[in-house]
Each structure stands twice: as C-alpha cells, then as structure tokens.
Amino acid sequence: MGSVIVVTSGKGGTGKTSITGGVGSCLARLGKSVLCIDMDIGLRNLDISLGLSDRALMDFSDVVFGRCSLEKAAVSHPDLPGLSLLTAPKTGSTRSEPPQTADSCRG
C-alpha cells in the first residue's frame, strides 16, 4: 500500500518546495516510486526545483478536467528512476478548451 506525505503551510517562503523536492528525491533514490504533486496554482516552482520545467507540459487541472490521463501528465525524472512530477497550473484559470499541448495526451 502507498503512503501520502503532505507538505503544507499557510505562509510563503517556509521551504515547502525545497522539502518536497528533497524528500521526494531521497525516497526515489531509496527505490520508492514517488509522485510529487505541486498544488501551488500560479506560483508553482517544484518543476524548476526538480529540473523538470522543460518537461512539465501538462498540469493537474488537465487530469482533473479529463484533458489528459495521469499517466501521460506525470513527468518522469530522467536521472532519478521512480521520481515523477505532476505540476500545478501556471495560472488560476480553468480552461474549458484543451490547450494545444493536450494533443500529445490523446491517442
């Protein structure tokens, strides 16, 4: 059975992203399968912290609204087997039309 670790704070600048990236990376190096989910809509940085900003094309809103499957939206880390990321949307808007990048999720 899987486990869930939540890193949260009502205040910015407390190290949530750093802790999440560090713990996720360490668990992956220990052989665990890890999915880090950045929930910081509009202020996401976990993709940058993990070095995945150029790979994170879809976000959790694409999964929630059925524009993309979780398997296709989650980005695997190229250097840390077992570590994946599902990032937050860059903005708070909820798109009603699929973005052009959603084409890669179809088929």
Side-chain angles (χ1 to χ4, degrees):
M1 178 178 284
S3 299
V4 175
I5 300 172
V6 178
V7 180
T8 186
S9 173
K11 183 176 177 164
T14 58
K16 299 176 295 289
T17 298
S18 298
I19 291 293
T20 301
V23 169
S25 297
C26 287
L27 289 171
R29 288 190 183 193
L30 290 171
K32 304 292 184 183
S33 293
V34 179
L35 175 62
C36 292
I37 304 175
D38 191 339
M39 301 295 290
D40 201 348
I41 299 171
L43 298 172
R44 72 181 207 193
N45 282 308
L46 191 54
D47 57 328
I48 296 168
S49 178
L50 293 174
L52 296 171
S53 58
D54 60 333
R55 295 173 179 255
L57 301 177
M58 308 308 293
D59 58 58
F60 71 73
S61 73
D62 294 309
V63 176
V64 169
F65 292 112
R67 294 185 290 253
C68 195
S69 69
L70 174 60
E71 292 78 15
K72 291 189 178 183
V75 179
S76 297
H77 198 285
D79 300 320
L80 289 170
L83 179 61
S84 299
L85 169 69
L86 182 60
T87 194
K90 289 183 180 179
T91 65
S93 70
T94 55
R95 301 177 298 249
S96 59
E97 292 296 319
Q100 290 181 354
T101 53
D103 292 337
S104 65
C105 290
R106 295 192 184 106

